[in-house]
Amino acid sequence: GESAASAVTYVTAWHRFDDGRPDAVFYGQYHDRFERTADGWRIAERVLHSSGNENFDVPWRMIRRLGRD
């Protein structure tokens, strides 16, 4: 069978702060690449793309994570 796959997962992440700031929301997508290993399917690479946010006062940047053994 196949030994690689990919997926896009949409995320809405709601954040509540305990310092009085208003709640914040992040919108984005995880772009994942999977590989089949001897132990089963594993995420080989994950990239987070921001689609927008509400009430965050910090700049967003792409986050790339590679799978580890």
Side-chain angles (χ1 to χ4, degrees):
E2 294 294 321
S3 60
S6 62
V8 176
T9 306
Y10 294 88
V11 60
T12 301
W14 169 61
H15 300 262
R16 172 160 283 174
F17 303 105
D18 60 5
D19 61 2
R21 288 182 287 164
D23 292 355
V25 181
F26 170 82
Y27 306 98
Q29 313 97 40
Y30 288 110
H31 292 246
D32 295 327
R33 183 173 54 81
F34 299 89
E35 293 179 353
R36 188 192 311 250
T37 71
D39 295 322
W41 287 95
R42 299 291 185 261
I43 297 174
E45 181 179 30
R46 169 168 273 184
V47 179
L48 175 60
H49 293 273
S50 173
S51 298
N53 70 79
E54 298 173 19
N55 296 323
F56 276 105
D57 56 1
V58 295
W60 285 95
R61 63 186 181 279
M62 182 179 71
I63 299 172
R64 179 180 297 270
R65 293 193 173 116
L66 300 177
R68 296 183 186 93
D69 294 336

